[in-house]
């Protein structure tokens, strides 16, 4: 449906958000006002959640688990297995989750704006991949 018309092709590949196309008519699916308002409400919810994450993680430099030895202000733990330490893994997960929420919030904002202003239905980029995925292939294939 996207390659059927040059305007669809340019609109689909020129946008930061994927549009929903009808395979029978080869046109973008129109968004109802209710769907657009649901997207806008989800954007605002994620925006507030993102602000909460930033306010919690920024004071600790996005590393909620302090990896320095007790009483030391020096470097973090040493050795080849330091990357497998549960604290290090928790810190990496926190940063990865904040990155995911940033991307999801931004694309929800674009999708809500396109749905509200142009009346075109858009796709979400992610379906909570961090907590609903059962494997790496499930993460990248179905939820992201």
């Amino acid at each position: 449906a996207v390659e059927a018309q040059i305007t669809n092709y340019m609109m689909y590949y020129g946008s930061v958000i994927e549009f929903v196309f009808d395979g029978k008519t080869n046109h973008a699916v129109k968004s109802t006002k209710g769907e657009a308002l649901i997207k806008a409400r989800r954007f605002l919810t994620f925006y507030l959640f993102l602000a909460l994450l930033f306010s919690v993680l920024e004071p600790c430099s996005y590393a909620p688990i302090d990896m320095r030895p007790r009483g030391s202000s020096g470097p973090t733990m040493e050795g080849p297995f330091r990357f497998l330490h549960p604290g290090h893994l928790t810190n990496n997960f926190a940063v990865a989750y904040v990155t995911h929420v940033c991307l999801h919030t931004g694309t929800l904002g674009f999708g809500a704006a396109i749905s509200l202003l142009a009346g075109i239905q858009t796709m979400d980029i992610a379906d909570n991949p961090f907590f609903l995925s059962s494997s790496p292939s499930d993460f990248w294939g179905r939820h992201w």
Side-chain angles (χ1 to χ4, degrees):
V2 174
E3 285 88 9
Q5 297 175 345
I6 190 71
T7 54
N8 289 352
Y9 183 85
M10 290 171 34
M11 186 170 62
Y12 183 82
Y13 289 109
S15 176
V16 294
I17 300 294
E18 290 186 54
F19 301 117
V20 178
F21 283 93
D22 186 4
K24 294 179 184 175
T25 63
N26 293 331
H27 292 289
V29 175
K30 298 291 182 188
S31 176
T32 65
K33 215 169 251 276
E35 291 170 342
L37 290 175
I38 288 172
K39 279 192 182 289
R41 187 175 64 218
R42 286 184 59 219
F43 165 71
L44 290 175
T45 303
F46 267 86
Y47 186 80
L48 292 174
F49 181 61
L50 183 61
L52 177 70
L53 282 175
F54 278 139
S55 65
V56 168
L57 292 175
E58 198 277 328
C60 60
S61 300
Y62 300 96
I65 309 293
D66 190 11
M67 296 296 296
R68 292 177 296 204
R70 289 188 189 265
S72 169
S73 61
T76 60
M77 41 184 300
E78 299 293 329
F81 296 106
R82 69 183 181 270
F83 298 116
L84 299 176
H85 187 275
H88 187 75
L89 295 174
T90 302
N91 290 339
N92 284 319
F93 179 80
V95 171
Y97 189 70
V98 167
T99 303
H100 158 69
V101 173
C102 283
L103 287 172
H104 195 61
T105 302
T107 57
L108 274 174
F110 276 117
I114 289 170
S115 293
L116 285 169
L117 299 174
I120 298 173
Q121 202 174 62
T122 59
M123 294 183 198
D124 290 338
I125 64 159
D127 181 21
N128 200 0
F130 278 87
F131 299 111
L132 294 179
S133 300
S134 59
S135 66
S137 60
D138 187 39
F139 174 88
W140 290 111
R142 292 189 334 173
H143 294 288
W144 190 264

